[in-house]
Amino acid sequence: MTGAAWGTPTARGIVAAATLGSGLTLLDGTVVNVALRTVGEDLDASLVQLQWITNGYFLSLASLILLGGSLGDRLGRRRVFVIGTVWFALASLLCGIAPTAEVLIVARVLQGIGGALLTPGSLAMIQGAFRAEDRSRAIGAWSGLGGISAALGPLVGGLLIDHASWRWIFLINLPLAAVTVWLALRWVPETRDTRALDRFDVPGAALASLSLAGITWALTDAGGSATWWAAGIGVAAAVGFIVVERRTHGPMVPLGLFTDRTFSAANMMTLVVYAALGAILFFLVLQLQTVSGYNALEAGLATLPMTLCMLFLAARGGALGERIGPRIPMTFGPMVMAAGTLLLLMAGPDAVYWRDVAPGLTVFGLGLALMVAPLTATVLAAAPDEVTGIASGINNAVARAGSLLAVAALPMAVGLSGDDYRDPGVFDASYSTAMVICAVLLVLGGLVSWFTIPHRVRTPDA
């Protein structure tokens, strides 16, 4: 089959379908934090339940995203993409009508499963459907338009929460998903990996999910009656996952990739840095609403400088990494992010946005833009060409797992529980401690890069 050429109606339809699909997951990722306080008040949710509203999504997404990619390669990327989009829409409907916090948590887990089917397919469809000479341009358009989706999320979410209902941040996904499915069926050709094995690593996916669930439960419920049981199950499942992946023909995670020092170090750095990133976004939006008196729209728009830095400067960060090598951007990017995090300590009672919030988020965004593209390039360069898709998926899953574990552990670590997120005095003190911990994590990530990432990364195939 001849691939699609850039500039044709088919090419525009493919990019539109892939962008709208990935935009669904990006939009949800940026608006839910904005809605947490409102959801908590409406559903009388505890802090632990708010954590699970966030973590339920990341749990299923992080543990199943590699399986979703494998299903697309074997069964057809468009088919799995469409199934994931429909699944995501139905789960969004359940989120939008959820009568209790418990139902919303279950719906968010289901949303994550849909996202795990949908997310890998959005890029894989472009990779499989375009001519080789046009793929870079198509991927660039997909990435840029996806960045716009992420930037619009806080604005759209804030408007819906303040002027309609928090439920509409989920219900708006239904018409968007319908358009996505129509575009995919109308314009996207079916592609699959003819070299892929017919068998799926279902035991690996199940053990990965059980491990993350057990560890997350233990961190969230630290000190509770089920903490040690959950931790034991999580650790046992993690050990079982390693054993299964070593023995399975065609594993979900080829453990041999981690014998490369650079690949392992880049993923370790990803885990630490994205743990800090997830925790910062969770705490900051609640801080602005609980302590600083911002409404949902104001809290959502507050994070816009970070998104704009990524949108306009991430490509320049990638170019810098190509020119000078990844070590310096991957070291100083997290260090700059740590400086921005400490500036966010200014976001207290009666915070003035331009003085107390925007500077910290801008500095943080500059560091993030400096780091992201060199990190991705390093992960891909450290893996053989035939498994770069798997390597990218592993790094994506590690990033989401880092956020998941940080949001689970940090509130309890800084002394928050129950309804403390509604008490400005209690939350403000805990917020300051959390920001300092996040800054330390970011510095640690920078140090990992400095001591383990080489100036130049040679591919294993070179």
Side-chain angles (χ1 to χ4, degrees):
M1 181 190 74
T2 302
W6 182 257
T8 62
T10 299
R12 288 191 288 269
I14 294 169
V15 172
T19 302
L20 266 178
S22 62
L24 286 173
T25 60
L26 288 170
L27 195 68
D28 248 49
T30 54
V31 302
V32 170
N33 280 344
V34 177
L36 283 178
R37 179 175 170 81
T38 306
V39 171
E41 293 175 346
D42 190 35
L43 299 182
D44 194 28
S46 67
L47 178 63
V48 169
Q49 289 173 320
L50 294 189
Q51 290 172 268
W52 276 105
I53 289 169
T54 297
N55 283 345
Y57 178 77
F58 284 127
L59 172 63
S60 51
L61 183 60
S63 55
L64 297 176
I65 193 168
L66 290 174
L67 183 62
S70 297
L71 288 169
D73 287 342
R74 291 159 174 78
L75 303 180
R77 290 152 181 159
R78 185 186 68 176
R79 177 189 297 177
V80 174
F81 176 83
V82 168
I83 291 172
T85 303
V86 172
W87 185 303
F88 191 89
L90 293 175
S92 296
L93 174 61
L94 183 57
C95 289
I97 63 175
T100 65
E102 291 81 4
V103 173
L104 181 55
I105 291 167
V106 172
R108 288 284 284 164
V109 172
L110 294 174
Q111 250 195 333
I113 297 173
L117 298 174
L118 159 64
T119 302
S122 64
L123 183 56
M125 288 191 310
I126 292 177
Q127 186 75 13
F130 272 88
R131 300 185 308 180
E133 59 267 32
D134 290 327
R135 284 174 189 159
S136 294
R137 184 182 292 186
I139 291 171
W142 170 82
S143 179
L145 292 170
I148 294 173
S149 299
L152 289 175
L155 172 61
V156 173
L159 286 171
L160 290 174
I161 294 163
D162 280 347
H163 299 289
S165 166
W166 63 265
R167 297 180 184 278
W168 279 101
I169 69 172
F170 299 110
L171 297 176
I172 197 175
N173 290 334
L174 273 66
L176 294 176
V179 174
T180 301
V181 169
W182 178 81
L183 286 168
L185 295 176
R186 173 69 177 82
W187 294 109
V188 179
E190 185 62 279
T191 61
R192 53 175 51 86
D193 184 357
T194 56
R195 300 167 301 173
L197 299 172
D198 291 333
R199 58 192 304 176
F200 305 103
D201 185 14
V202 175
L207 287 168
S209 302
L210 183 60
S211 175
L212 280 175
I215 293 170
T216 302
W217 186 288
L219 293 173
T220 304
D221 190 47
S225 58
T227 299
W228 291 109
W229 282 105
I233 291 171
V235 171
V239 173
F241 174 77
I242 293 172
V243 172
V244 166
E245 297 305 278
R246 284 188 180 278
R247 296 180 176 179
T248 299
H249 182 55
M252 185 174 73
V253 178
L255 297 180
L257 284 172
F258 290 93
T259 60
D260 184 280
R261 177 187 174 188
T262 300
F263 184 82
S264 295
N267 278 287
M268 175 60 70
M269 182 262 204
T270 297
L271 183 71
V272 173
V273 169
Y274 277 84
L277 174 61
I280 288 166
L281 293 177
F282 180 84
F283 275 89
L284 177 63
V285 175
L286 285 174
Q287 172 79 357
L288 292 178
Q289 293 180 78
T290 300
V291 177
S292 303
Y294 286 32
N295 60 32
L297 177 58
E298 292 167 338
L301 288 176
T303 61
L304 199 55
M306 184 175 68
T307 305
L308 292 176
C309 285
M310 282 295 298
L311 187 60
F312 292 109
L313 298 176
R316 294 180 181 273
L320 179 65
E322 288 182 4
R323 189 163 65 250
I324 67 174
R327 176 186 288 179
I328 291 176
M330 288 176 63
T331 297
F332 288 97
M335 299 291 187
V336 173
M337 292 165 68
T341 302
L342 293 177
L343 287 175
L344 288 173
L345 290 171
M346 302 281 290
D350 303 315
V352 177
Y353 178 73
W354 297 109
R355 182 191 67 202
D356 303 321
V357 182
L361 283 170
T362 302
V363 172
F364 188 94
L366 291 173
L368 188 62
L370 178 63
M371 176 203 73
V372 165
L375 170 60
T376 302
T378 299
V379 169
L380 296 181
D385 286 344
E386 64 270 17
V387 292
T388 53
I390 295 174
S392 176
I394 290 172
N395 190 245
N396 193 312
V398 168
R400 295 174 191 275
S403 295
L404 165 72
L405 296 175
V407 172
L410 204 51
M412 185 69 69
V414 298
L416 289 174
S417 61
D419 295 333
D420 287 346
Y421 70 93
R422 302 180 188 180
D423 187 323
V426 173
F427 194 87
D428 189 34
S430 298
Y431 167 82
S432 297
T433 305
M435 290 299 103
V436 172
I437 293 173
C438 288
V440 171
L441 288 174
L442 290 165
V443 170
L444 178 61
L447 292 175
V448 168
S449 296
W450 181 256
F451 288 109
T452 60
I453 301 298
H455 286 295
R456 296 288 178 186
V457 180
R458 292 184 177 181
T459 64
D461 299 318

